Amino acid sequence: MRRLAAVVLCALALPASAGAARSWAESQIQTVVEAGLLADSVATFKPQKPLTQQALAGALATLALTAEEPVAYSYPAIVPGRAVTVRELDAALVAYVGLGDSARLVAGALRDAGLAPKAGAGSETVARLLGLRFNHPAADDALELGPNDPATRAEAAYSLARLLGLSGFEQQQIHAATEQLALPQVTGAQQQLLRRAVAFVGWPYIWGGTSEAPQQLWDGKQLPGGFDCSGFVWRIFKLEPFAGASALASVLRGRTTYEMSGEVPAAQRIRKIENLQPGDLIFQGANGPKSKPVQVDHAGIYLGGGWFIHSSGEGTTLHPLEGWYRDRFAWARRPLREAGLS
C-alpha cells in the first residue's frame, strides 16, 4: 500500500486582482470559485471569515448536482449564521465522499480495543488519510486550527479543492485499509497510554509543539495547541502522570527524535515490525534499519494491528504502518518494559 496521505505543499499564488488580500489558499480559492462554490469571485471570497453551516451546505449541494455520478447527500439541520468547526467540516466532507462507514470502522476498532475514542476520532482519521487538512509552514503555525475551532473559509477552500481532485481509487484504498483495521484489546498501563494518545486525534501539527492548549515556545511566539512528532510523544509520556505507573514518565529523557531513539542500547532495540507491541515507540530514519540516531527524523506510538498514532503533516492521527513509514522504519523501543510495566 502506498502512503495514503501525503503532506501537500502549496505555493502562494499572486492575488487575483490588484489590491486583493493575499491568502495562503489563493490557488484553492480560485479552484472552488471556478467550480461555483462558496463565492462568485475570488475578490468577494473573504477567506479569513468563519465558514457557516449554510455556506458549507450550499457548497456540498452544488457539488452533488454537478458531479459526474449522482451523489446522495443531505446536510444535517442548518442553524442560520452558525460557524462550522474543523471537526464538523471534516465529518461533513468524509460523509459526502461516502467514507462515513470507514470513519465508523475506525471509531469502532478503537472502542473494541478499550481505547475510548472521543467523538470525531474516526472522521478526523479518515479526513487526514484523504489529505483534507493543510499543514501550514512553521512560520505560519499561528494559522493552525484545532478540531473544535471554527473553520475559516480558506480552510474550507483547501478541503473542497482537494475533494474536487480526489480519485475513486484513493477512496477505495482508504475504505480497504479501514475495513481491515483490527486492534488488540489492551489493559493496564498500555490502555492508559494509548487512551491518552487517541484522545488527541485531530490536533494540528505545530513545529516544537507539546500541548493541546495554546502554548508559548522558546522563541516567545504564542501558538495554538498542537504537536510535532516528538512533541506528541513527549506530551503522552512526560507531561501528565499515569495512575499506578509513575515510572513511565522517567523513561524518556531527551526531547528530540534523535535523543529518544538513541537512549536505548542497540541490543535492546526492536528491529522487526512483526515484534511490535501496543505502546512501543517506533522510529523512522533516512536509511531505514541502517539509520543512526542522528538520522532518525520521525516517531510515533504503535497501536497494534499494523497501525500507529503520530503527529505528522496531517496532524495527530492514526495511520497504517505501510509505505513510506514501513520503508523507513529504523527500530522501536518499549518504554513500558523499560519502566518495569510490561
Side-chain angles (χ1 to χ4, degrees), residues 69-87:
E69 297 181 10
V71 176
Y73 176 80
S74 60
Y75 194 84
I78 298 170
V79 178
R82 186 185 182 283
V84 177
T85 66
V86 171
R87 192 191 306 276

Side-chain angles (χ1 to χ4, degrees), residues 219-236:
D219 58 4
K221 284 185 179 179
Q222 190 72 26
L223 293 174
F227 315 91
D228 63 16
C229 67
S230 56
F232 174 64
V233 171
W234 190 257
R235 167 65 180 90
I236 302 308

Side-chain angles (χ1 to χ4, degrees), residues 197-289:
V198 167
F200 296 125
V201 168
W203 259 255
Y205 182 91
I206 299 288
W207 190 80
T210 60
S211 175
E212 67 277 20
Q215 54 196 313
Q216 183 173 313
L217 302 185
W218 54 85
D219 58 4
K221 284 185 179 179
Q222 190 72 26
L223 293 174
F227 315 91
D228 63 16
C229 67
S230 56
F232 174 64
V233 171
W234 190 257
R235 167 65 180 90
I236 302 308
F237 282 88
K238 299 286 289 187
L239 302 187
E240 186 179 351
F242 290 94
S246 58
L248 197 53
S250 64
V251 170
L252 299 184
R253 299 181 298 279
R255 164 65 177 80
T256 68
T257 54
Y258 319 128
E259 294 168 321
M260 291 179 184
S261 65
E263 286 172 353
V264 290
Q268 293 181 22
R269 295 172 186 169
I270 301 162
R271 298 286 187 175
K272 294 183 178 180
I273 288 176
E274 310 85 70
N275 294 335
L276 292 174
Q277 294 181 10
D280 288 351
L281 283 189
I282 60 175
F283 302 106
Q284 278 80 24
N287 289 328

Side-chain angles (χ1 to χ4, degrees), residues 110 115 183-184 186 194 198 278-279 301-305 307-309 318:
L110 292 170
L115 300 183
L183 302 175
V186 291
L194 296 181
V198 167
I301 303 172
Y302 191 64
L303 291 170
W307 285 66
F308 70 111
I309 183 168
L318 280 60

Side-chain angles (χ1 to χ4, degrees), residues 106-125:
V106 172
L110 292 170
R111 280 194 300 271
D112 291 346
L115 300 183
K118 292 185 176 180
S123 56
E124 287 298 282
T125 295

Side-chain angles (χ1 to χ4, degrees), residues 134-207:
F134 178 68
N135 177 30
H136 294 277
D140 296 327
D141 269 344
L143 295 174
E144 295 286 3
L145 299 174
N148 300 316
D149 291 329
T152 64
R153 289 167 60 84
E155 293 286 349
Y158 181 86
S159 300
L160 288 167
R162 169 64 183 142
L163 222 61
L164 288 167
L166 189 65
S167 71
F169 174 73
E170 289 173 291
Q171 296 175 56
Q172 293 167 11
Q173 195 177 28
I174 290 170
H175 179 72
T178 56
E179 198 171 34
Q180 297 168 12
L181 174 58
L183 302 175
Q185 194 165 41
V186 291
T187 58
Q190 271 185 331
Q191 186 182 75
Q192 286 191 66
L193 174 70
L194 296 181
R195 276 189 174 185
R196 183 179 295 176
V198 167
F200 296 125
V201 168
W203 259 255
Y205 182 91
I206 299 288
W207 190 80

Side-chain angles (χ1 to χ4, degrees), residues 259-341:
E259 294 168 321
M260 291 179 184
S261 65
E263 286 172 353
V264 290
Q268 293 181 22
R269 295 172 186 169
I270 301 162
R271 298 286 187 175
K272 294 183 178 180
I273 288 176
E274 310 85 70
N275 294 335
L276 292 174
Q277 294 181 10
D280 288 351
L281 283 189
I282 60 175
F283 302 106
Q284 278 80 24
N287 289 328
K290 296 181 179 179
S291 299
K292 297 178 180 179
V294 293
Q295 296 172 305
V296 170
D297 53 12
H298 193 64
I301 303 172
Y302 191 64
L303 291 170
W307 285 66
F308 70 111
I309 183 168
H310 67 150
S311 185
S312 71
E314 290 81 37
T316 303
T317 187
L318 280 60
H319 204 286
L321 186 52
E322 295 289 352
W324 186 92
Y325 298 109
R326 190 179 190 93
D327 293 343
R328 288 172 63 101
F329 175 76
W331 60 82
R333 63 183 289 188
R334 187 158 296 155
L336 289 165
R337 180 176 62 192
E338 295 168 40
L341 299 166

